[in-house]
Amino acid sequence: MKKSVLVTIALSTSLFAGLGAASVQADASAWHKGTPSFLVGHKYRTSIKHGYHGMPTYQYLTSTKNSIDYIYSQADGYGGSHTGYKRSGHVYTVRYRAIDWYGTHKYHTYKISRLSATRIKVGKTHLVKFSKYPTWHGKTVR
């Protein structure tokens, strides 16, 4: 009787120790500091459409190590600093801190999918990597 109680205690102790060791593993969906490396220092844009009087319009994304901007040409953009990201397969959730109309800091997110070395998808919008901004009548359109 005494031996079976000791065996039961030993088994339950080893079971709890095994569960505790399993829960110490790193969480793959944890937030990482900064911006994903495939975005840093690169520019991505949508296809160019011709708007008012033929002026090229498009959306583009630029980022640094700690900031991200998603901009509509000839308009204000959305973005901020203090970026962080988490990865789930090929989808990156990138968050950034921006100041709202009331002067408070709020976090916002983008869901970015890496499709290839030169193509990404932000939400439902496809973007391609580019190096030079388009020109219109000899002037750069940003």
Side-chain angles (χ1 to χ4, degrees), residues 49 55-60 71-76 141-142:
K49 295 181 172 54
M55 178 178 270
T57 59
Y58 57 97
Q59 301 168 18
Y60 64 98
I71 302 167
Y72 297 88
S73 63
Q74 306 299 317
D76 292 335
V141 178
R142 287 190 181 178

Side-chain angles (χ1 to χ4, degrees), residues 36 48 88 96:
I48 297 172
S88 177
Y96 61 93

Side-chain angles (χ1 to χ4, degrees), residues 11-31:
L11 287 175
S12 62
T13 305
S14 65
L15 177 66
F16 287 122
L19 288 175
S23 65
V24 177
Q25 294 177 0
D27 186 10
S29 66
W31 286 100

Side-chain angles (χ1 to χ4, degrees), residues 97-106 108:
R97 189 175 80 175
I99 300 174
D100 65 3
W101 290 102
Y102 304 106
T104 58
H105 295 277
K106 295 203 176 188
H108 304 278

Side-chain angles (χ1 to χ4, degrees), residues 57-58 60-61 67 78-79 82 93 96 123 137 142:
T57 59
Y58 57 97
Y60 64 98
L61 181 133
S67 69
Y78 302 98
H82 297 85
T93 303
Y96 61 93
H137 291 286
R142 287 190 181 178

Side-chain angles (χ1 to χ4, degrees), residues 28-91:
S29 66
W31 286 100
H32 304 285
K33 196 173 186 179
T35 309
S37 61
F38 70 92
L39 294 174
V40 176
H42 300 288
K43 297 178 278 210
Y44 295 88
R45 67 166 171 81
T46 61
S47 60
I48 297 172
K49 295 181 172 54
H50 296 285
Y52 184 71
H53 288 286
M55 178 178 270
T57 59
Y58 57 97
Q59 301 168 18
Y60 64 98
L61 181 133
T62 61
S63 64
T64 64
K65 190 173 181 180
N66 295 311
S67 69
I68 191 165
D69 290 313
Y70 190 67
I71 302 167
Y72 297 88
S73 63
Q74 306 299 317
D76 292 335
Y78 302 98
S81 59
H82 297 85
T83 57
Y85 70 95
K86 63 181 174 179
R87 181 180 178 185
S88 177
H90 67 281
V91 178

